[in-house]
């Protein structure tokens, strides 16, 4: 049954990190940036620092993306209404996407018929005319494919044809670059480099096959990046083509291809034995022209592997001719990006700008990219993070860091809203805990009601984090996290975070700030415990001399917790926003799997991975003293999810053993101590039960399972027995997440959000008749409210759903739903008229 009530779903926020692989990012002529996030292609706008959408279609991790036209061809794409994007994944599949600027809409065009047998490692493309482009792709299968795309001039569909397939031998190529040869509009040159440390040049036509021209030797390790310039004039000689290459030998080489006189009787074998061939470089023939290749410059400056090099995009000058700036951007695993330009007098290439990431936890850059107009540069790093610098100087260069979107770079396992819905906290297998919040001052500047940013990273751990529980009730902000270790850890908000939250949300936290003496936290050498930094201790460390030795792996620099008055950048988040760890909770015999807290903030329940009854116990911990006050036995396998009822009268648990358990509250007379005892245990589903959620205004709950069903259960008042009330129609995929919330339109039912293994999300209306509270014979009604657009949803399994607390703004009909998934994404949706 589908209810006719109009439901609006809007995308509010997407937070995700970039896949940690070279060639993953591309900056398009339209100004947008594409990157791979697990199996999705994500698009972000550097102007607003927001991820606009994710494109579903790939079934494997996205290795590389490439805009058509890219920033290099922005001067040719002025006035284009449609832009295109190519993406390649780890299974060898390449997909073409279309983006309409006028409609701001994405369209899946096609999947290339002839895919690679292994993962795609690089895609490069050039525009040969307004309605034709050539692109090449390379893969770990040692094959390079060259393709032609006919772009529709006025509507219609793209047609893609494979021009040629080249074998790279036994060692795969990992980087490619295409260019038009000077003096010819139909002849192309393809450069490829890879594991054999040589640059291989191939010549071809826009409609024909490619033939080997020559190879360039010089690098002593894998070649990681190649990029052709537009034709340039050197020493008053026109028609020169420059190729820049970078390698794991830490060096950058610039090669010049000069157009020689046209040849009619050129003998390549004879020329290869001449002295000039060895001094000046190889000569190759393409059509009626010959070209001399020589090493123009060797550029040394990076201290580690240089992963990417890129020419500054050409621009149009007054006579509408193309001008190629003599400027190269390089990015290295040594944590720096450099801009290189030749000196005016000597012509020697020198480093004119160096930017980088100085945080101790950084592990370098995988790639660097120019903006279409050359005033901004972007890097993506080992931590899935972006780093953007913009030249804000007028008379001289002044590169300043800019805000960028951020997020997890591995599966996000759990999320929870702060007590008043002020912020959203998430944990992930990337071993971090992150806090996202709507920065109201930024929203006012941009006339945008929802401008979300990552505002803190409370935990940077040494183990994958599986679960999270925010402690409810009064007092300071606290949370408990469980990772792939036997210990649960308790964290408490430092003073710097409370003041930052005040700036972000404009809600005063003066009552909390009085009692909090801890400013922040420091990371230990092994990356497990986080030690508090006190106010007086911070003053003492500032007075110390700064010449006590360099940072080593054994000595970690002190964090400098500070109050943030604007959304932070990666360098601040990675190190200076940690929360101190206040307690460790010992007891479980295996890795932690699930956590939850009661609504009064008195108890926290925890479970771990288990294959026996004794290990599958649920432990109860008293908030404050953090003593173990109960051990509940019921299940024989891992307890996958637990939740307290709205009045804390019951604790519900579901497990891999396909059963559900209900525990009831037990109060000890003459004592404040509370505990729970087993009320009932029964089989719930035919497969693993992944999710459960209580009705926030009654004693009904929902369970979701791998058997693709969702069941609604009720607890009888008199007998406290659990009875199945109804089963929703079977879904197309396993149900992995549930969240039940109140509805503005009905008092006794609510809205149930259902997340699936396919990544899709649905909202169902659950209505309960009044007699149901007294008798279990009545059957509730369930109707589908809305299925989220797949372009809004996750592309992999939904791990958790959570409705935002709405006590403070009950007058509004809009509600917010947060979700997290295996696609590395944290998402927030606005649901209207529920």
């Amino acid at each position: 049954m589908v209810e006719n009530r109009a439901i609006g779903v809007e995308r509010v926020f997407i937070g995700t990190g970039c896949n940690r692989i070279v060639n993953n990012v591309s900056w398009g002529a339209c100004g947008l940036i594409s990157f791979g996030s697990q199996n999705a292609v994500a698009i972000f706008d550097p102007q607003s620092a927001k991820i606009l959408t994710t494109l579903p279609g790939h079934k494997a991790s996205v290795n590389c993306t490439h805009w058509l036209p890219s920033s290099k061809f922005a001067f040719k794409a002025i006035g284009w209404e449609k832009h295109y994007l190519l993406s390649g994944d780890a299974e060898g599949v390449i997909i073409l996407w279309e983006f309409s600027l006028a409609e701001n809409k994405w369209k899946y065009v096609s999947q290339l018929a002839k895919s690679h047998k292994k993962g795609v490692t690089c895609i490069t493309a050039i525009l040969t005319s307004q309605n034709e482009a050539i692109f090449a792709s390379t893969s770990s299968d040692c094959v390079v494919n060259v393709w032609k795309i006919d772009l529709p001039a006025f509507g219609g569909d793209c047609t893609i044809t494979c021009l040629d397939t080249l074998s790279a031998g036994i060692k795969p190529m990992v980087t490619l670059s295409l260019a038009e040869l000077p003096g010819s509009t139909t002849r192309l040159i393809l450069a490829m480099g890879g594991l054999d440390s040589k640059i291989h040049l191939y010549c071809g036509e826009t409609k024909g096959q490619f033939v080997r021209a020559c190879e360039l030797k010089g690098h002593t390790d894998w070649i990681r990046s190649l990029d052709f310039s537009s034709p340039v004039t050197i020493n008053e000689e026109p028609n020169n083509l420059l190729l820049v290459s970078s390698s794991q030998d830490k060096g950058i080489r610039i090669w010049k291809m000069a157009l020689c006189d046209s040849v009619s009787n050129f003998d390549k074998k004879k020329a290869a034995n001449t002295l000039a061939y060895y001094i000046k470089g190889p000569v190759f023939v393409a059509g009626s022209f010959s070209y001399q290749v020589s090493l123009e410059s060797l550029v040394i400056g990076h201290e580690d592997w240089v992963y990417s090099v890129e020419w500054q995009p050409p621009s149009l000058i007054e006579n509408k001719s193309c001008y190629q700036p003599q400027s190269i951007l390089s990015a290295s695993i040594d944590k720096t990006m450099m801009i290189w330009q030749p000196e005016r007098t000597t012509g020697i290439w020198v480093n004119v700008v160096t930017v980088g990431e100085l945080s101790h936890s950084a592990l370098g850059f995988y790639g660097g990219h120019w903006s279409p107009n050359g005033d901004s540069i972007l890097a993506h790093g080992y931590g899935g993070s972006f780093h953007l610098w913009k030249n804000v100087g007028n008379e001289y260069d002044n590169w300043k860091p800019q805000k960028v979107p951020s997020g997890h770079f591995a599966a996000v396992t759990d999320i929870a809203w702060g007590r008043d819905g002020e912020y959203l906290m998430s944990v992930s297998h990337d071993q971090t805990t992150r806090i996202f919040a709507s920065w109201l001052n930024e929203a006012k500047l941009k006339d945008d009601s929802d401008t979300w940013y990552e505002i803190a990273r409370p935990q940077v751990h040494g183990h994958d984090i599986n679960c999270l529980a925010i402690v409810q009730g009064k007092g300071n902000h606290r949370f408990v996290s469980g990772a792939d270790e036997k210990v649960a850890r308790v964290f408490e908000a430092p003073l710097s975070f409370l003041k930052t939250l005040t700036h972000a949300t404009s809600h005063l936290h003066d009552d909390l700030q009085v009692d909090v003496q801890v400013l922040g936290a420091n990371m230990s050498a092994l990356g497990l415990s986080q030690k508090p930094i006190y106010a007086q201790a911070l003053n003492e460390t500032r007075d110390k001399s700064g010449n006590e030795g360099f940072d080593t792996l054994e000595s970690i620099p002190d964090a400098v917790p500070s109050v943030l008055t604007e959304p932070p950048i990666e360098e601040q988040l990675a190190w200076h926003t940690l929360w101190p760890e206040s307690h460790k909770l010992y007891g479980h015999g295996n890795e932690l799997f699930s956590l939850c807290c009661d609504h009064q903030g008195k108890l926290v329940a925890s479970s771990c991975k288990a294959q026996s009854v004794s290990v599958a116990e649920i432990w109860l911990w008293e908030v404050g003293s953090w003593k173990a006050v109960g051990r509940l036995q019921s299940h024989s396998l891992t307890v996958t999810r637990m939740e307290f009822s709205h009045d804390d009268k019951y604790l519900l648990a579901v497990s891999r053993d396909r059963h559900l358990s209900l525990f009831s509250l037990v109060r000890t007379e003459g004592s404040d101590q509370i505990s729970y005892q087993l009320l009932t245990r029964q089989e719930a589903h035919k497969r693993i039960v992944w999710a459960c959620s209580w009705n926030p205004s009654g004693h009904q709950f929902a369970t979701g399972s791998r058997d693709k069903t969702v069941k609604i259960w009720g607890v009888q008042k008199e007998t406290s027995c659990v009875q199945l009330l109804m089963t929703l129609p079977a879904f197309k995929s396993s149900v992995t997440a549930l969240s039940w919330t109140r509805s503005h339109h009905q008092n006794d039912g609510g809205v149930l959000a259902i997340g699936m293994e396919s990544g899709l999300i649905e909202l169902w209306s659950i209505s309960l008749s009044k007699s149901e509270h007294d008798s279990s014979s009545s059957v509730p009604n369930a109707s589908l409210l809305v299925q989220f657009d797949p372009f809004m949803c996750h592309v992999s399994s939904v791990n958790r759903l959570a409705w935002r607390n709405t006590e403070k703004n009950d007058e509004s009909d809009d509600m917010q739903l947060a979700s997290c998934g295996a696609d590395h994404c944290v998402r927030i949706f606005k649901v209207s008229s529920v």
Side-chain angles (χ1 to χ4, degrees), residues 119-166:
V120 182
T121 52
C122 182
I123 297 174
T124 185
I126 60 165
L127 284 181
T128 52
S129 68
Q130 287 294 312
N131 52 11
E132 185 183 86
I134 306 290
F135 78 92
S137 61
T138 184
S139 160
S140 305
D141 61 7
C142 300
V143 169
V144 177
N145 289 329
V146 184
W147 313 78
K148 184 176 80 166
I149 302 184
D150 292 312
L151 306 172
F154 304 100
D157 295 326
C158 296
T159 56
I160 305 172
T161 51
C162 185
L163 291 181
D164 201 358
T165 297
L166 308 171

Side-chain angles (χ1 to χ4, degrees), residues 128-310:
T128 52
S129 68
Q130 287 294 312
N131 52 11
E132 185 183 86
I134 306 290
F135 78 92
S137 61
T138 184
S139 160
S140 305
D141 61 7
C142 300
V143 169
V144 177
N145 289 329
V146 184
W147 313 78
K148 184 176 80 166
I149 302 184
D150 292 312
L151 306 172
F154 304 100
D157 295 326
C158 296
T159 56
I160 305 172
T161 51
C162 185
L163 291 181
D164 201 358
T165 297
L166 308 171
S167 174
I170 58 171
K171 293 189 176 181
M173 298 291 111
V174 295
T175 179
L176 304 170
S177 187
L178 270 167
E180 291 180 333
L181 278 168
S184 172
T185 55
T186 60
R187 297 210 165 264
L188 305 176
I189 184 163
L190 170 65
M192 57 178 79
L195 278 59
D196 63 358
S197 308
K198 301 173 188 173
I199 300 170
H200 303 270
L201 297 182
Y202 284 77
C203 293
E205 294 191 9
T206 54
K207 296 176 183 177
Q209 291 187 328
F210 281 69
V211 294
R212 180 185 291 271
C214 64
E215 57 185 41
L216 309 177
K217 300 176 183 177
H219 286 293
T220 57
D221 207 336
W222 292 9
I223 292 165
R224 299 307 309 225
S225 184
L226 295 167
D227 192 33
F228 277 112
S229 69
S230 293
V232 293
T233 301
I234 300 175
N235 299 329
E236 298 182 0
E237 294 178 10
N239 295 327
N240 289 290
L241 197 63
L242 294 178
L243 172 68
V244 61
S245 62
S246 70
S247 165
Q248 290 180 187
D249 64 10
K250 308 175 189 176
I252 299 168
R253 289 171 180 258
I254 302 170
W255 311 83
K256 183 176 79 170
M257 290 172 202
L259 175 63
C260 304
D261 296 331
S262 59
V263 291
S264 56
N265 56 352
F266 178 78
D267 187 343
K268 184 177 179 181
K269 286 185 179 179
K270 193 174 178 182
N273 295 321
T274 62
L275 188 62
Y277 186 93
Y278 289 98
I279 296 174
K280 295 181 180 179
V283 176
F284 65 89
V285 177
S288 57
F289 294 99
S290 63
Y291 298 86
Q292 176 93 49
V293 186
S294 57
L295 180 64
E296 176 77 5
S297 184
L298 173 62
V299 179
I300 301 291
H302 285 290
E303 297 174 359
D304 213 329
W305 298 356
V306 185
Y307 265 137
S308 83
V309 280
E310 190 174 288

